[in-house]
Amino acid sequence: MKKYKVLDIFSYVSKNVIDLKQLEDIFHNGINDAGYVANDYCVERYEKGCKLDENIKMAVCDLENEGKNIAFIKESEKVIAVVGYREK
């Protein structure tokens, strides 16, 4: 199993709903398990060409420019966080 280091998290929900530590835990649990779902959260790796809303596109561009891998944390098909990461 590969290990990853989270470098950035762009969250689109209030920390009162889900904090950064919880988002990081969801990422680590889900990145190695395609289709991981827990409490309606899933992790998907970013694929070039996928349709993104403008706020998410800005975060993706920033992370791409920095050479980072990108994943989305979704809740019920809605992106709630964009994660920039690297393999350890």
Side-chain angles (χ1 to χ4, degrees), residues 1-4 6 18 21-39 41-45 71-73 83:
M1 183 184 291
K2 292 184 180 178
K3 301 260 183 181
Y4 300 97
V6 172
I18 187 166
K21 174 68 173 123
Q22 290 170 307
L23 289 170
E24 189 170 347
D25 290 345
I26 291 167
F27 168 80
H28 284 293
N29 289 329
I31 195 65
N32 286 312
D33 182 9
Y36 169 85
V37 177
N39 300 327
Y41 299 112
C42 69
V43 177
E44 293 180 7
R45 294 175 197 261
F72 303 118
I73 298 174
V83 179

Side-chain angles (χ1 to χ4, degrees), residues 37-55:
V37 177
N39 300 327
D40 295 325
Y41 299 112
C42 69
V43 177
E44 293 180 7
R45 294 175 197 261
Y46 166 70
E47 294 182 23
K48 284 194 182 283
C50 68
K51 190 173 182 178
L52 303 171
D53 97 354
E54 203 56 39
N55 288 333

